Amino acid sequence: MNSSISELARLLEEATTYAKGHSWTVPPDLQHTLELWPQELKSIENTLVQYNNQKKKTLTLCLLDGSSKKRISYCNKRLTYLTNSYQASLLFAVKANADFVSQPLLTNHRANTKIPAYSPAFCGRDSHMMTVLDLLNDANELPVRTVILGAGGIGKTTLALAILHHPAVVHKFHERIYFISCEGCLSASMLINDIAKVLGIQNDLDYSLKEEEILSYLESSPNLLCLDNFETLWNADLQVKHTVTVLLQKFSSVFSVSLLITMRGLEYPEGIAWSKPLLSPLQALSFDTAQKVFQQISNKWDEWAERLVQAVEGLPLALTIIAHLAQSQECKFLWQQWEETNIRIIERGKGHRLTSLETSIELSIEGYHLRSHSTALVILSLLGMLPGGLVPERLNCFQYLFSDIQSTKKSVNALLKSGLVYQSFETLHVHPLIRHYSEEHLPLSAEHMKLLKQHYIDLTLNYGGHTAISTEQLLEYKNTGYILLHCLKTQVPDETLVEAIRNYSWLTTVETGSFVPELFELLEKNKDLLPPQCIIIYQLEWGNCLNDCGSLSQAYSIFLNALKYAKKQENEIYQAKVLQCLGRFHGGRGEYDLARPYFTL
């Protein structure tokens, strides 16, 4: 513990010395690490004070109870991790500042030319990074076998490279860290050829001799072998999968080999004793982390940048592509492109998974043979229309609606394995950017879309101000709003649609305290296409929603417009309804003198 604290003090002093007198912008990941230190040191101090007080009250001064051991061990691990994180962050910060490159700080950290470059903008994966570093630093856990899972574009390769370049990992394995991309590998023999090439083993040997040479080389001293995009081989035909499994088991049987694998999906390859704890699949970045990444890459931040970061919803691949585009283009211009083209803007190069979001999604579809699962693609397209997600049991309803949907459970499992669909709180979801892709490239058929719209319209017509709300209606309120908007954007509104929007808006206002203004704005835009009574109906509900949500001046203005329109139509029934709303409006504000005339006309 004392040695770790001393090392921390030394590194702080070293950073101050090297930074003094230089123009140096501290990057977000280094800043984040520095911000964590005071919290951790305070936690360590509290633990030691608590233990010191405990010692004064017991005769067994030299013995620690189990909980104290665990607390102090955890503190030591956290301090070691933060020290390592500081070293890594400082190294890449220094590399980003040319006037530091010649400083002696870099002399003990030579770049490993066998590994692709590491992004200095990497951040937000502390938990996963710490888990892997703890495994690699624990002598009892060597060799380590672990897998980084997640959807395409979620940052698996970036995390793997951050681990491979980490000073603690470099210190442990030195130059024997190897990165092999499995992209394009269609067989075990192709994988063996690529590994042999990276290891510097002659390539004119046959498969079995080459395999023996590789295993012999790896047995000579500790190695860290990273197999990136392993799903390319794992999702090949059964014969290839079997051969690759055998090869993976052979690598795992070599005690000096630690394995780090990245692959799309949510399931670990079977047949291997994976190190515990298992890494959970990567999720999207938080907004704060996404903002740091964007600023680190683009050196820009304004209201348009904020909109772009919110639009990609923390998907690292999309985020980094947009940030690189922002280096040479104005964020406002990129946002205008985004509104016109959505994910087509997220591309820096044709046909590569790391520079094009569409390519990355297509690789997931092809790699998991989803095009042969017609039901899986229909379910993906269906989920693309449902931003609120769908509980698996509700698929039975759509299986009844869509006669061509079969084997839903098998198809859902295939989608979950691919990482294109994820499950949260027992609800199936797709990332918004994958929803954009499915809408453009895998749209529902006209018949399916017609049935989907009618289903959600019927759902709204079953409730209103005097009807009990079902669990199904509450679960589906986000999806209902999206489908109603889609109806307004793609068809001429009619009385049924207006009634559905009125009922839906009442539900959301009562249950959530908010509503979807765009529904009424689109009706207002197209009111010339509506019968007169429909105009008054939606204007009254619009005013009521605004009133219930506290937008009083807007509500009053809408009510007055409705009254004016009702008088123009000489419709006394609707005039009375508008006057009643105006009376309630004033009465709700305690303006009884103003309210009374509306009820006595």
Side-chain angles (χ1 to χ4, degrees):
M1 178 70 75
N2 288 337
S3 62
S4 295
I5 294 174
S6 300
E7 176 68 3
L8 174 60
R10 186 187 68 77
L11 287 169
L12 283 169
E13 185 179 352
E14 185 176 284
T16 304
T17 302
Y18 277 106
K20 195 171 184 180
H22 293 268
S23 177
W24 187 26
T25 301
V26 179
D29 52 352
L30 179 56
Q31 213 166 24
H32 176 65
T33 305
L34 291 170
E35 288 167 1
L36 286 176
W37 267 334
Q39 305 167 27
E40 296 300 331
L41 291 174
K42 184 66 178 175
S43 174
I44 292 168
E45 181 186 15
N46 291 340
T47 300
L48 293 177
V49 168
Q50 186 178 356
Y51 169 57
N52 189 50
N53 292 337
Q54 179 185 343
K55 280 174 61 178
K56 294 176 182 178
K57 298 176 182 178
T58 180
L59 295 175
T60 54
L61 301 179
C62 60
L63 296 177
L64 291 174
D65 60 64
S67 62
S68 295
K69 282 183 179 179
K70 288 179 181 177
R71 286 199 303 272
I72 291 178
S73 175
Y74 175 77
C75 287
N76 193 39
K77 281 187 176 182
R78 284 295 299 168
L79 192 55
T80 301
Y81 167 71
L82 286 169
T83 302
N84 289 334
S85 296
Y86 168 81
Q87 289 177 315
S89 302
L90 184 59
L91 276 173
F92 294 106
V94 168
K95 288 181 182 178
N97 292 268
D99 62 329
F100 272 67
V101 171
S102 61
Q103 298 296 329
L105 181 65
L106 296 177
T107 55
N108 294 325
H109 298 279
R110 291 182 297 155
N112 189 336
T113 56
K114 303 180 184 69
I115 312 172
Y118 158 77
S119 170
F122 170 81
C123 59
R125 302 298 190 195
D126 287 0
S127 176
H128 288 77
M129 174 77 90
M130 184 177 177
T131 298
V132 177
L133 292 179
D134 281 349
L135 288 172
L136 290 170
N137 288 329
D138 189 342
N140 296 325
E141 285 292 334
L142 205 65
V144 172
R145 290 89 167 79
T146 193
V147 183
I148 301 172
L149 297 168
I154 203 69
K156 300 179 295 296
T157 301
T158 302
L159 174 58
L161 291 173
I163 291 168
L164 299 186
H165 281 283
H166 196 282
V169 176
V170 174
H171 178 74
K172 190 175 193 71
F173 295 99
H174 303 288
E175 294 295 313
R176 296 180 75 99
I177 302 173
Y178 305 102
F179 179 91
I180 293 92
S181 174
C182 299
E183 191 173 0
C185 285
L186 304 177
S187 65
S189 61
M190 292 180 72
L191 176 60
I192 282 291
N193 283 338
D194 286 351
I195 294 175
K197 183 178 180 181
V198 170
L199 299 183
I201 294 172
Q202 62 184 94
N203 240 330
D204 56 353
L205 302 173
D206 62 30
Y207 179 87
S208 58
L209 288 175
K210 202 177 294 182
E211 181 186 303
E212 287 179 15
E213 285 291 320
I214 289 171
L215 292 172
S216 176
Y217 179 88
L218 294 175
E219 286 172 351
S220 60
S221 62
N223 303 269
L224 177 55
L225 193 63
C226 178
L227 303 178
D228 185 49
N229 257 55
F230 191 69
E231 78 280 351
T232 307
L233 288 159
W234 196 253
N235 296 324
D237 61 61
L238 290 177
Q239 181 59 43
V240 172
K241 183 175 180 178
H242 172 72
T243 311
V244 170
T245 302
V246 172
L247 181 61
L248 203 59
Q249 289 170 338
K250 287 180 180 179
F251 287 146
S252 298
S253 66
V254 180
F255 188 77
S256 56
V257 175
S258 286
L259 276 176
L260 175 61
I261 290 175
T262 76
M263 62 186 294
R264 296 171 187 236
L266 306 177
E267 291 186 348
Y268 278 69
E270 64 266 20
I272 307 296
W274 300 106
S275 301
K276 302 294 191 300
L278 301 178
L279 296 178
S280 60
L282 295 181
Q283 302 298 322
L285 300 173
S286 68
F287 176 80
D288 288 344
T289 300
Q291 179 183 343
K292 289 179 182 179
V293 172
F294 186 91
Q295 287 180 292
Q296 178 73 0
I297 295 173
S298 68
N299 199 30
K300 292 179 181 178
W301 190 252
D302 54 27
E303 62 172 302
W304 307 106
E306 184 174 352
R307 291 187 188 187
L308 288 167
V309 170
Q310 288 174 335
V312 299
E313 296 204 21
L315 190 68
L317 174 60
L319 180 67
T320 54
I321 292 174
I322 286 283
H324 278 102
L325 291 172
Q327 290 177 338
S328 57
Q329 301 178 53
E330 290 300 319
C331 293
K332 183 178 181 179
F333 174 70
L334 289 174
W335 174 250
Q336 291 169 344
Q337 283 188 292
W338 168 264
E339 288 192 303
E340 293 173 7
T341 66
N342 288 127
I343 69 170
R344 287 200 301 276
I345 189 181
I346 307 175
E347 181 171 278
R348 284 200 299 144
K350 297 284 185 182
H352 194 278
R353 65 181 177 86
L354 296 181
T355 56
S356 168
L357 182 60
E358 286 193 5
T359 300
S360 181
I361 295 171
E362 285 161 7
L363 282 172
S364 292
I365 292 172
E366 300 296 342
Y368 283 83
H369 310 293
L370 294 179
R371 295 203 187 276
S372 62
H373 288 272
S374 58
T375 297
L377 291 182
V378 172
I379 292 174
L380 182 62
S381 301
L382 173 64
L383 289 172
M385 293 297 298
L386 305 176
L390 200 64
V391 293
E393 293 75 17
R394 290 275 294 138
L395 279 173
N396 295 331
C397 168
F398 291 100
Q399 191 168 355
Y400 174 77
L401 281 175
F402 301 171
S403 58
D404 55 341
I405 288 186
Q406 304 295 329
S407 306
T408 55
K409 187 174 182 180
K410 182 179 179 182
S411 298
V412 166
N413 286 338
L415 289 167
L416 287 169
K417 286 181 180 178
S418 72
L420 291 170
V421 170
Y422 67 93
Q423 197 159 1
S424 175
F425 299 105
E426 300 183 354
T427 303
L428 299 171
H429 294 272
V430 295
H431 190 279
L433 295 181
I434 297 176
R435 285 201 293 108
H436 288 308
Y437 175 90
S438 66
E439 280 188 55
E440 183 171 345
H441 297 282
L442 300 168
L444 286 171
S445 67
E447 182 62 24
H448 284 165
M449 184 61 75
K450 179 182 177 181
L451 292 169
L452 181 68
K453 288 179 179 179
Q454 192 59 53
H455 170 75
Y456 281 97
I457 288 174
D458 289 344
L459 191 62
T460 64
L461 296 178
N462 290 331
Y463 58 78
H466 303 288
T467 308
I469 302 169
S470 71
T471 303
E472 177 187 11
Q473 290 161 348
L474 285 175
L475 286 173
E476 292 278 20
Y477 84 90
K478 285 185 179 178
N479 296 333
T480 304
Y482 187 83
I483 296 299
L484 292 176
L485 278 173
H486 192 275
C487 290
L488 286 173
K489 293 174 181 178
T490 57
Q491 67 188 57
V492 176
D494 56 19
E495 291 184 50
T496 302
L497 184 55
V498 171
E499 182 69 14
I501 290 171
R502 183 181 76 163
N503 287 357
Y504 170 75
S505 299
W506 170 83
L507 167 75
T508 56
T509 304
V510 169
E511 294 298 325
T512 70
S514 63
F515 67 105
V516 184
E518 192 179 355
L519 288 170
F520 294 110
E521 290 164 4
L522 286 172
L523 284 173
E524 184 75 6
K525 186 177 179 181
N526 295 291
K527 67 180 180 182
D528 293 342
L529 303 174
L530 290 169
Q533 68 272 20
C534 287
I535 296 174
I536 299 173
I537 286 172
Y538 83 71
Q539 286 185 338
L540 286 180
E541 189 59 38
W542 191 3
N544 284 329
C545 289
L546 287 167
N547 186 33
D548 291 342
C549 294
S551 300
L552 303 181
S553 60
Q554 286 180 275
Y556 189 64
S557 176
I558 295 293
F559 287 141
L560 291 179
N561 285 338
L563 181 60
K564 182 179 179 181
Y565 191 82
K567 287 180 177 179
K568 182 180 178 181
Q569 297 298 319
E570 298 181 349
N571 189 319
E572 293 184 353
I573 293 176
Y574 280 106
Q575 284 183 56
K577 289 185 176 182
V578 177
L579 291 171
Q580 187 181 37
C581 287
L582 282 166
R584 284 202 302 264
F585 172 83
H586 287 296
R589 300 178 67 183
E591 300 168 343
Y592 301 115
D593 290 340
L594 293 174
R596 191 173 293 110
Y598 292 112
F599 291 114
T600 56
L601 287 175

